[in-house]
Amino acid sequence: MSHTGYVPAVVNLIDDDTQRIWGGDVESARQAMLANDMDGVLGVDGSFALLAQDGERIVLARSLDRPMRYFLAKAVAGPVLIVAERIDEIAAELSRRGWSAQFHPSYTRMVPAHHVTTLRLVGCPDPNPVHRRFFDPPRGTLPTDLDVIGRRYIEAVYAELRRWLSAQDPAAPIGVPFSGGIDSGAILLCLYRLMLNEGISPSRLKAFTLSIDGEGEDARQARDFLRRTDLEMLGETIDIPASALDAQRAVAVIEDYKPLDVECAAVNLALLAGIRERYPEWRLLVDGDGGDENLKDYPIEENSELTIRSVVNNRMLYQEGWGVESIKHSLTYSGGYSRGCVRGYACAREHGFADFSPYTRPSVIAVAEAIPFAELTKGSHEKLYALKGEIVSRGVRAVLGIEMPVFPKRRFQHGALSAGEAPRLFPHGEALYRRHFEKLHAAPA
């Protein structure tokens, strides 16, 4: 308690009904947070964004796959903490209370994933938050044997899918946004085999592939993948006109302006809208988000800030960015997939889906972090980029007994379009997306 006896007001706009916890319960998770029980928080099984309060002490924590933001407002009686998933929800709450003059989107803060964030609301001034890590897997502990690594990785993916599936309505259909790439391919094969093993009819399962104007390598690749694995009955193409791609709407939905995330979100929104139009009651999606981050499958050459040494030697760089203690960490957005999770979560929420990716779960990331990337790559970009296909296909063969086709990597927004169309459909770049984002939150004249 503060010396005034005032207990700070907290407005939590994240409803408990949105927590998707399938191991334990919300209140036990909150008690672990308040008790600084990091193992207890790590043991929360599922997707969560949770707040707990003990007087002036507020603790916040979220899983990697969903956003959680906060804003500290000042009232006459003392500080008021507003917590929400979205920036526009915070802005609306401030407006409702007559506090719009205090708002700017850059004043909002994102809770970094994999940390318990502690705030002490004592007023004038309130101290900076303290972030305490609850997930810190050991690095580079696996042998260099790709068969061992692959088996461990796919075993972890399969186990997470099994835990998730056991918590779902046994009659609910499940959709996989499917390109035939490594991540969505492994997800589909694991789900298919899991449902058979659990005595569940795989007729509940569909692989949804996006095609823009009937074009795109993903549609051809997906058909080839399904044919080669004898799963053609699962495939369904969602054909969308290019005119449905709306980058400015994507900026508004994900509340961000990074071009690759905006483009990915625009294409994702088109796919989800197509599924929703065809299946009004569909709810469950399982996607491959986080797979590239786990196995470091991004072209280093496209980012001038990165070297192969920084990629293979920094803990969870692609999942968390440079880390909460670094100068480059964004207080407004966090970093890495901790920032980029909105391109999946917010788009799914916009169309009424509940999405899940086992690649974002700590048990799967722990296996990825245990891979001795530096030893395996020896400074070679080419060796790094070849690892993902080798690891996942070997793991699928060992765990599922299936030969998984492996195709060259391409981004979602490129694979859904005909070759070379992305620059024409998304010509804007970060400066224009940023201006549009700022316009969304501009104060009225």
Side-chain angles (χ1 to χ4, degrees), residues 384-403:
L384 177 62
Y385 303 151
L387 271 181
K388 182 177 174 181
E390 283 291 326
I391 289 170
V392 176
S393 63
R394 290 179 189 220
V396 167
R397 182 186 306 123
V399 177
L400 306 180
I402 299 172
E403 291 296 326

Side-chain angles (χ1 to χ4, degrees), residues 417-437:
L417 306 167
S418 60
E421 277 292 274
R424 185 183 69 82
L425 293 171
F426 302 112
H428 309 301
E430 182 169 330
L432 187 134
Y433 294 146
R434 186 192 287 263
R435 285 197 297 272
H436 180 64
F437 172 75

